[in-house]
Amino acid sequence: MWVPQLSEFNQPMYLSIADALARDINNGVLNEGDRLPTLRELATTLNVTPGTISRAYSEAHRRRLVQGEVGRGTYVLNQKQLELPASNSASAPLNLGQSELLDLSIIKPYSETLEYWLRGALVGMAKSTDFARALDYAPDGGHPAHREAGAQWLRHSLPDAQWQQVVITAGAQHGLMVAMSALTNAGDLVLCEALCYPGIISLAHGLERRLRGVPMDDEGIIPEALRELCLREKPAMLVCVATCQNPTAAIMSQKRRAQIAALAEEFDFIILDDDIYGFLATDPSIKPLSAFAPERSVYLTSLSKSVMPALRVGYIYSPPKLLSRLTSMVRSSVWMPSPLTAQLASNVITEGLDKKLIRIQRNEAAGRQAIAREIFANFELKTQPYSYHVWLTLPEPWTSDEFTMLARANGVLVLSGTQFQAERSGTTRCVRLVLMSPTSQDELRFALTKLASLIDSDPRRYY
C-alpha cells in the first residue's frame, strides 16, 4: 500500500499528501494505473480523518494526477498523456469553457435568463439621469436614494422599513462580517445553528469569536436547547437563518420565531437575522425573525440569490441605536460598497425587475424540486417547495465525506455535511445538493440520476 512520506512538508495535511503523491509519481514510485489506498486505509495509517484524505485526493484529481472510477477506486493517471503542448505565438487561446464537472455545490440562482434581463438594466443605468451619483464617493451607509431602494426591497418582508435605518454592504457575507465585528468583541460567544453556512464558521473563527452550534429539529433551532445554553453561558449574538436554512432547508414557524425572540429579550443577546432566502418562503406572510424583537435584531439580506451573484449588494436593517456602529464598520472594512453596483441594484428594484426575477427563480426552483423528489423518492430528503437546495441523508454505511469524493470522481460536485458542522462534531451521512446550478433541468436530472445510482450501490465496491 502506498504511504506518503510527509516529514519534509510544512503546510496543511491534505496539500502535503497531494504534493507527496505528485513527487512519488514523478520519481517513479507510483506508475500509471496504480490503485491508491482507500480513504479509510490511508486515514488509519496517517492517523487523520477520512475527510482529510478526501480533500487530498480531490486536490490530486484537480491536478489531474489521479482519477476515480466506479469499481476501481482511485488510480494514477498516465502523466505523459497530460503534458500540454509547448507555448508559442500561434497557439490557440486557452479554452475557459464549461467544466467537465457538474457542479451541485454552490447555491446560486438559475442563470439562463439573467444575462438578457441584466444587460437591459446595465444599458438603462448608463442612460439614466441619476448615473452621475454612481461615479463618486457615497456618504456613510450609502446614498439616500440607494438606501431607499434597499428599503423598498426590504418591504417585501418588513412593510414599515425606513430608508434611514438601511445600511448598504458589499453583499451578505460582508454584512455578516460588519454586524459580527461591530456588535460583538473578540472572545464573545456567538451562537448559530448546529448545522450552518460555512461562511459563518470561517468568519467567527477569523474574528476570534467563540462559536457554538445550537441543536436543531425540522424547524431549525430548538428553543429549549437555546435556553439551556443561555443558562450556562452568556451569548453576545445569535446568527440565524429562519427561512430555507442552509443546509437543512428548515423554515421556522411563526410560533418558533416568537420563542427565539423572547429568549433574546430574556438573555440580552442580539439576533442577526440572515434572511437571504426569505424570498423563497412557502408562506410569505410569516414575519422575519427580527420582526419579533426589532430593538435587538439586525436584519440582513442581499440580491445575490434572487437576482445575480455578481451583484454584490447587501442591505442591513438596524434599530437606530446600532446604526452608527454598523456604518462605522462598513467604512473601516471597505470604506464604501461600490456606488456603481448599488445604483444598478437600485434600478433593478425601482423598475420592478426584482419581482420578475423572483417569479422566474421560484418557478424554476419548483420544477427542479419536483425532479429531486422523484429521483430521491426512496431516500430521506429535507427540502422546501421553492428551495434552491436539498439536504439528503445517505443510507448506511455511507459517510458524507467518502460519498462526496466518489461523486466528484464520477463527475458531480456536492458538499459533505461535515463542512456545515459548527463544531466539527464528527462524521455524518448528510450531503447538500444544489439544484439551480445546472444549465437545464435535463442536465440536473442527469446529475441527480448519477448520484442516486451511486447511493444505491454498496460503498465497499469502491474501496
Side-chain angles (χ1 to χ4, degrees), residues 2 33 229 351 416:
W2 175 73
L229 205 157
E351 294 170 9
S416 167

Side-chain angles (χ1 to χ4, degrees), residues 136-359:
D136 202 353
Y137 285 101
D140 284 354
H143 282 296
H146 297 165
R147 295 165 72 185
E148 171 56 37
Q152 183 176 329
W153 169 258
L154 294 173
R155 289 179 194 128
H156 295 303
S157 302
L158 300 171
D160 299 324
Q162 302 298 312
W163 73 266
Q164 294 90 342
Q165 292 174 243
V166 174
V167 178
I168 297 178
T169 67
Q173 183 67 22
H174 180 233
L176 282 170
M177 187 279 291
V178 165
M180 196 178 295
S181 299
L183 306 179
T184 68
N185 299 307
D188 279 353
L189 177 62
V190 173
L191 305 179
C192 64
E193 293 99 342
L195 294 166
C196 70
Y197 163 56
I200 296 172
I201 300 172
S202 61
L203 178 62
H205 289 291
L207 294 175
E208 298 183 342
R209 272 52 168 177
R210 294 182 295 123
L211 188 67
R212 185 74 56 81
V214 184
M216 306 168 65
D217 61 13
D218 288 343
E219 282 192 33
I221 286 176
I222 301 171
E224 294 77 13
L226 177 59
R227 168 178 282 278
E228 289 179 10
L229 205 157
C230 290
L231 288 171
R232 294 196 304 270
E233 295 191 65
K234 179 174 174 53
M237 175 179 282
L238 169 68
V239 183
C240 188
V241 182
T243 299
C244 289
Q245 197 265 346
N246 183 8
T248 67
I251 296 181
M252 278 190 184
S253 65
Q254 191 148 302
K255 178 182 178 182
R256 177 70 60 90
R257 296 176 195 227
Q259 291 173 317
I260 299 296
L263 290 171
E265 296 281 358
E266 180 180 353
F267 292 100
D268 190 29
F269 59 80
I270 293 172
I271 295 174
L272 178 50
D273 181 12
D274 183 353
D275 199 33
I276 192 170
Y277 303 110
F279 69 99
L280 297 175
T282 309
D283 180 2
S285 68
I286 296 181
K287 297 178 181 178
L289 175 59
S290 55
F292 293 89
E295 293 305 310
R296 59 174 59 256
S297 299
V298 173
Y299 180 86
L300 173 65
T301 187
S302 82
L303 300 181
S304 64
K305 306 303 182 186
S306 58
V307 178
M308 186 178 184
L311 197 58
R312 304 306 301 166
V313 175
Y315 302 106
I316 290 176
Y317 194 72
S318 166
K321 64 183 179 181
L322 302 178
L323 275 170
S324 61
R325 292 159 67 180
L326 293 167
T327 55
S328 176
M329 186 54 63
V330 171
R331 186 172 62 249
S332 297
S333 57
V334 296
W335 190 261
M336 64 175 185
S338 167
L340 193 64
T341 308
Q343 181 67 45
L344 176 59
S346 298
N347 288 4
V348 167
I349 293 168
T350 57
E351 294 170 9
L353 181 55
D354 59 326
K355 296 183 179 67
K356 184 186 297 288
L357 292 175
I358 284 174
R359 287 195 298 271

Side-chain angles (χ1 to χ4, degrees), residues 392-404:
L392 176 68
T393 300
L394 302 166
E396 293 182 340
W398 284 108
T399 67
S400 62
D401 286 342
E402 65 186 358
F403 180 79
T404 298

